[in-house]
Amino acid sequence: MPRVASTFTCGPSRGVFASVLIVSCAVVAACVFALPGCSKKSSSDSGSDPKALIVGFSQIGAESSWRTAETKSIRDEAKKRGIDLRFSDAQQKQENQIKAINSFIAQKVDAIILAPIVETGWEPVLKQAFAAGIPVILVDRGVKVSDDSLYTSLIASDFVAEGRMAAEWLANALGGTGNIVELQGTPGSAPAIDRKKGFEEGIAPHEGIRIIRSQTGEFTRAKGKEVMEAFLKSAPGQINAVYAHNDDMALGAIQAIEDAGLKPGKDILIVSIDGVRGAFEAMVAGKLNCTVECNPLLGPAAFDAVAKAVAGETLPKNIVVQDRVFDQSTAAEVIDSREY
Ligand code: GYE
């Protein structure tokens, strides 16, 4: 049976996530959008339906299969709801996201959906959106700002809890002893920071477990492979397990381990986060041991939040979903029901 996470966090830590959206954490939310200019507009620049809501979506890029699934979910949901979606791909650059937001403000969009690449550096542009009365819904990653009323709502997983779940699974599988190498996500991003923190907390009670190498693999398969090759060269025969902040990097690491003549999933245990199809395939093949789900299908929740924000309704500050852990014991059974 897949284990169901029991932790639901509120307030400062980021929300939890997965299949069923649960608006927990009734926190704060006082901010929200009785702001001027947030009402549904009838605009002649909004394509075929003059009454369509105009929503700008600033996406990070396409570094992982998780992100591709998220983009699809948001595009599909916008289409379904007849929303005029203005999509911008920042190609992994915060400056491009800031430009996109400025451009959405100039286009007088009804709302902005932002997947922020890193946590810091958003305050000035969020202040501009706020001043223009445009609600900003953050999806999948959080930001650090002095005043959280600068955004309407954050729809994201609890990355600390994900890291902890990965650590607990691995500590158990290692029997409390072993050397781990860690592949981190994008430096400065909420999931990289929090998945590291949660994992370290999770292994802390096990004195025999150590992280012997830790480096960014930038959430990509190619970089995950490259960094794993370097780890294998610099610590030959010493690596018992890999912890990757996402599945794509784990899949890259699997390749590197095989190229080195070792058996991923057996000689070296591997645990990662996301729960994408490729991870399930690798578990069925016995090459990946465990993945912690992080649901990227955020389109419905994001546009529900947009609809409420433009209607002037108060939203919870954190909208969270439940995360689950999957390992080889259930992979074959559930793979066909996976939606991404
Ligand atoms: O885990 C990773 C991606 O922000 C939760 O970003 C997201 C992360 C996801 O590229 O695969």
Side-chain angles (χ1 to χ4, degrees), residues 60 63-67 70 116 139-141 157 159 162 186 189 191 195 218-219 245-248 273-274 276 294:
I60 292 166
E63 75 282 1
S64 63
S65 7
W66 188 98
R67 193 151 304 287
E70 182 195 48
V139 287
D140 94 62
R141 295 183 183 180
S157 285
F159 302 133
E162 291 173 348
T186 304
S189 71
R195 287 173 182 168
E218 289 162 15
F219 279 135
H245 289 190
N246 82 345
D247 290 340
D248 285 65
I273 299 175
D274 277 356
V276 298
C294 177

Side-chain angles (χ1 to χ4, degrees), residues 98-112:
I98 292 171
K99 273 187 209 149
I101 296 167
N102 278 319
S103 149
F104 295 150
I105 296 170
Q107 293 170 52
K108 297 189 166 41
V109 298
D110 294 293
I112 292 169

Side-chain angles (χ1 to χ4, degrees), residues 108-159:
K108 297 189 166 41
V109 298
D110 294 293
I112 292 169
I113 299 174
L114 167 64
I117 181 160
V118 290
E119 285 190 324
T120 56
W122 299 103
E123 200 132 341
V125 77
L126 289 179
K127 277 186 179 153
Q128 284 172 39
F130 189 86
I134 299 172
V136 176
I137 310 293
L138 301 179
V139 287
D140 94 62
R141 295 183 183 180
V143 297
K144 280 211 164 73
V145 281
S146 57
D147 174 4
D148 69 5
S149 62
L150 288 176
Y151 61 88
T152 304
S153 202
L154 164 65
I155 306 173
S157 285
D158 183 338
F159 302 133

